[in-house]
Amino acid sequence: MKEQDVINISQRRRRKDSYVLPLLKGMQYTLKNFFSKKLTIEYPDQRREVNERWRGLHRLVKDDQGRVKCVACGLCAAICPASAISLTPYEEEGGTRYPVDFQVDELRCIFCGFCQEICPREAIVLTQVYDYIDLERTDFLFDMDKLDRPEQFWFQEKKGRFHKLLGS
Ligand code: SF4
Ligand code: SF4
């Protein structure tokens, strides 16, 4: 073995006072951020704005007369990669079609947005509701009633229920 192949660890050790500079640098960083604008928020009392294109819980859109715009064509259910949508169509004598039952399994959904994109009537949209939680598997099966009011399922709206369960 040649002399240049030997690694002398003791030469690489820092001097005992070499921690002072990093310490000062750390304090400088802390002080700088202490007076800067806070990045954290008091969730869930405060909520971050998300982009308009955010893909959260679904809504079945209604027209001016309060009827669902959906004509139960089934395209959304057909394209859904997670098989999260199921519906039962009904057709009146005049040819008017609408779903008598429409269900989205929000636990199966991967929020890809395909259903919204393919809908010829813009009848199904993904909203900005991003923090829905619940206790039962069945609570995540959104029927036409729940799909009409996704904003009621913000975590904030259900906070009281969970506090009660947790005894807090
Ligand atoms: S967002 Fe995607 S996965 Fe979810 S229901 Fe629509 S098509 Fe299916
Ligand atoms: S694609 Fe649109 S119109 Fe067709 S079933 Fe789905 S929500 Fe209804």
Side-chain angles (χ1 to χ4, degrees), residues 62-158:
K62 288 186 169 171
D63 62 16
D64 296 340
Q65 276 91 47
R67 295 172 302 205
V68 285
K69 290 170 85 176
C70 174
V71 290
C73 67
L75 278 175
C76 55
I79 202 169
C80 177
S83 303
I85 299 177
S86 58
L87 64 130
T88 310
Y90 180 76
E91 187 166 333
E92 290 179 351
E93 273 190 21
T96 308
R97 286 175 59 96
Y98 54 85
V100 285
D101 181 40
F102 196 108
Q103 191 175 78
V104 180
D105 186 338
E106 301 290 355
L107 275 188
R108 288 191 70 96
C109 174
I110 55 170
F111 301 97
C112 63
F114 286 177
C115 50
Q116 175 176 316
E117 280 180 42
I118 202 159
C119 180
R121 302 269 301 167
E122 297 181 350
I124 189 167
V125 293
L126 296 169
T127 64
Q128 297 178 329
V129 183
Y130 58 78
D131 59 352
Y132 173 56
I133 62 167
D134 224 316
L135 301 172
E136 304 288 338
R137 177 79 179 77
T138 50
D139 292 327
F140 291 85
L141 299 175
F142 271 49
D143 58 10
M144 289 179 74
D145 177 43
K146 284 174 128 179
L147 290 168
D148 186 37
R149 50 189 179 97
E151 282 77 13
Q152 287 191 11
F153 298 97
W154 283 114
F155 174 69
Q156 176 70 5
E157 300 297 324
K158 307 196 87 183

Side-chain angles (χ1 to χ4, degrees), residues 26-40:
M27 286 173 73
Q28 181 195 22
Y29 186 78
T30 305
L31 274 172
K32 193 174 125 199
N33 284 287
F34 190 78
F35 297 104
S36 62
K37 192 178 165 210
K38 287 186 180 60
L39 295 176
T40 51

